[in-house]
Amino acid sequence: MAFTFSGRLPGILKTKPLFHSLSSFASKYHFSAQQKVVVCGAGNAAHVFTALAASNPNNDVHLISLFQDEAARFKAAYDATEDKAITVQFTQEKRELKASPSSISNDASKLAGADTVILSLPAFAHNEYLQAVKDHVTPKPDKKTLVACFPGASGLECEWQSIFGVNEPGFVLLSCITLPWAARALQFGQTAEVLGTKHQIEVCIKSAEGSNKNSEYIDRISDLIGIPPKIVDYGHILNMSLSAINAIVHPSIMFGKWRSWDGKAMQEKPLFYQGIDEASANLMSQLSDEALHITRCIEKETGLTLKTQHIAEWYFSCYGADCTDSSSLKGLIMTNPGYNGLVHPMKGENGQWVPNFQYRYLSEDIPMGLAVMRGLSLILKEVPKVPLMDDIIQWSQQLLGKQYLEYKSDGSIVAGKDVGLSRAPQRYGITSIQELV
């Protein structure tokens, strides 16, 4: 049953509603106080977050981007739509949603009064927006301001602690291991497509009150984006740094595909996920094993119980029901419909394509991913050996022209000259894992 709402720019769902019925929506929201939601970013996922949040008339939704003229370009495209709305197409469900935010701007003061802030941004941009939240948001006496990062990426706990302190009472950090969907913008500022929705996503929450109210903050996000996905509390915030899916998946696929590249241009862009072979799947599995090894070492030293999954387990829990072959890691990736048609990041034209090593699969997932995992291992009393992770980091640093971690000839590993561009704990002067517990 499709439905519309009168009032401030309603969300219109075609074919299949986000909620089971108008009555269930009304009972959930009609009598609750309106909340202000600010979505930070203007990328693929930000289109979806904004439309989903704004489809609930109980939300006062604002989109801000502080990057150059991005907000102005987004607003110009949005204003050019006939119905002044952002459209989201849900491909697998064969439904469409249209909804409109209250404002689109580069004005950080729009953060004032926010109940929930969603950061849908590359990890390197988190610092600027977290600082803006600290500067412009005064938490309400009876309601903490929730800052939710999708995805949080590794090292977010270090970044947060450097800005908000160890136990800031008025703010709560929610870090998600990944995005809720595979999504892409079809027309910037106008239309986005959700290729597939994950059945389950994991989040970690950092709050001065401990885990007592974690379910409340999870419900707040579920109310914004709907179910599925099911949102699961994943425990201590360190789980996010050690379970960063992008950091395991993207660099391992890039390394497997291009480490022996002969430098010759390609006539077609190769498939990224669905182009992997058995060797690349094994590399991904081995890299995940090493991340788990670091996790076990942290547990041993801190007494924490962490929940890092092997990458194959994660794929099965998120996508297994949608894949025609869930018998192996390679099968789960190759038959995931959400990955259909997605290609390697390439540059060039006219059948002369070469890999773009500056794309976020290395430029973000190394300094905000693997370098953080390795950095965490380096502040342990007993430093574990992770040879594949070291190989991928060194290979990537050479391609990026960066040195987040310096690998010395005597076998030691220390902070590199570019550690300040990463979120490794060494950037923040953290020298013991106990400082993050």
Side-chain angles (χ1 to χ4, degrees):
M1 170 180 154
F3 54 86
T4 63
F5 295 93
S6 60
R8 187 192 60 79
L9 286 169
I12 302 171
L13 289 147
K14 299 179 180 179
T15 305
K16 181 180 177 183
L18 187 61
F19 297 89
H20 295 301
S21 67
L22 179 59
S23 61
S24 68
F25 184 99
S27 65
K28 191 170 186 65
Y29 293 112
H30 184 70
F31 299 108
S32 58
Q34 186 180 58
Q35 71 163 332
K36 181 175 182 179
V37 179
V38 180
V39 178
C40 299
N44 298 327
H47 286 70
V48 183
F49 277 118
T50 302
L52 283 173
S55 69
N56 174 1
N58 203 56
N59 293 331
D60 175 24
V61 181
H62 302 261
L63 181 147
I64 67 169
S65 172
L66 306 178
F67 178 69
Q68 298 179 358
D69 65 343
E70 188 173 56
R73 291 187 292 107
F74 194 109
K75 188 173 188 308
Y78 168 86
D79 287 342
T81 61
E82 183 177 348
D83 44 12
K84 298 291 188 296
I86 298 170
T87 300
V88 179
Q89 300 169 359
F90 294 83
T91 302
Q92 290 186 27
E93 295 94 333
K94 295 182 173 58
R95 65 183 175 95
E96 184 178 89
L97 174 149
K98 290 177 179 284
S100 304
S102 298
S103 73
I104 300 166
S105 75
N106 64 350
D107 184 3
S109 69
K110 292 289 184 182
L111 286 160
D115 298 291
T116 300
V117 179
I118 293 177
L119 269 59
S120 179
L121 300 155
F124 67 80
H126 286 167
N127 183 280
E128 179 182 13
Y129 287 83
L130 290 175
Q131 191 60 59
V133 170
K134 182 71 180 297
D135 293 343
H136 292 280
V137 178
T138 301
K140 299 170 184 176
D142 59 341
K143 187 175 186 181
K144 296 180 186 294
T145 299
L146 176 62
V147 181
C149 297
F150 290 87
S154 295
L156 179 59
E157 67 278 4
C158 302
E159 191 96 82
W160 177 269
Q161 197 163 300
S162 73
I163 296 172
F164 291 91
V166 177
N167 285 307
E168 165 58 54
F171 294 89
V172 175
L173 172 65
L174 181 148
S175 177
C176 187
I177 198 168
T178 184
L179 289 169
W181 336 268
R184 60 186 177 187
L186 298 179
Q187 290 89 33
F188 178 74
Q190 299 180 351
T191 306
E193 177 184 23
V194 172
L195 300 165
T197 299
K198 296 177 176 69
H199 296 282
Q200 174 177 302
I201 56 175
E202 295 81 21
V203 302
C204 294
I205 297 169
K206 182 175 176 59
S207 171
E209 60 199 353
S211 60
N212 296 333
K213 294 188 176 181
N214 282 7
S215 61
E216 173 187 322
Y217 303 121
I218 288 173
D219 287 345
R220 202 188 297 187
I221 297 300
S222 288
D223 287 348
L224 293 180
I225 67 175
I227 302 173
K230 177 184 177 182
I231 302 179
V232 176
D233 186 347
Y234 214 50
H236 195 280
I237 193 74
L238 275 172
N239 279 306
M240 286 296 102
S241 284
L242 298 163
S243 305
I245 298 303
N246 287 348
I248 299 297
V249 174
H250 297 155
S252 62
I253 292 178
M254 293 290 285
F255 185 70
K257 178 69 176 177
W258 303 110
R259 61 176 165 165
S260 300
W261 178 52
D262 60 8
K264 295 180 181 178
M266 308 184 76
Q267 292 186 349
E268 295 182 353
K269 298 179 180 180
L271 291 172
F272 188 73
Y273 300 98
Q274 295 174 334
I276 69 165
D277 55 19
E278 197 68 43
S280 291
N282 288 338
L283 282 171
M284 190 186 298
S285 181
Q286 183 183 341
L287 184 61
S288 185
D289 286 338
E290 293 185 351
L292 284 169
H293 180 43
I294 293 173
T295 302
R296 301 291 87 85
C297 292
I298 291 175
E299 287 181 320
K300 180 180 177 181
E301 186 164 321
T302 63
L304 292 172
T305 299
L306 300 172
K307 299 181 180 181
T308 304
Q309 290 177 297
H310 191 273
I311 190 64
E313 295 179 58
W314 180 85
Y315 263 107
F316 187 82
S317 66
C318 285
Y319 294 114
D322 297 326
C323 299
T324 56
D325 179 5
S326 59
S327 64
S328 67
L329 176 58
K330 180 188 174 189
L332 285 162
I333 296 172
M334 291 284 289
T335 64
N336 183 348
Y339 289 160
N340 290 345
L342 300 180
V343 297
H344 272 266
M346 308 292 282
K347 57 185 180 181
E349 58 184 13
N350 299 327
Q352 295 294 307
W353 300 105
V354 296
N356 179 6
F357 294 122
Q358 303 301 316
Y359 191 67
R360 63 181 175 86
Y361 290 169
L362 295 183
S363 63
E364 179 173 336
D365 292 329
I366 298 301
M368 310 294 175
L370 291 187
V372 179
M373 293 183 194
R374 192 51 167 141
L376 288 170
S377 77
L378 296 174
I379 59 174
L380 295 172
K381 294 175 182 177
E382 296 183 17
V383 178
K385 293 182 179 180
V386 285
L388 177 59
M389 189 177 294
D390 288 336
D391 286 347
I392 293 176
I393 291 172
Q394 291 179 87
W395 176 78
S396 301
Q397 288 187 158
Q398 185 176 10
L399 292 169
L400 295 168
K402 302 294 183 185
Q403 188 188 69
Y404 310 113
L405 297 175
E406 181 182 355
Y407 288 77
K408 291 182 168 291
S409 58
D410 64 0
S412 62
I413 308 170
V414 298
K417 63 181 179 62
D418 298 307
V419 71
L421 300 176
S422 77
R423 289 209 301 218
Q426 288 75 11
R427 169 188 172 180
Y428 306 95
I430 297 171
T431 59
S432 167
I433 195 67
Q434 298 295 340
E435 295 177 54
L436 296 171
V437 174

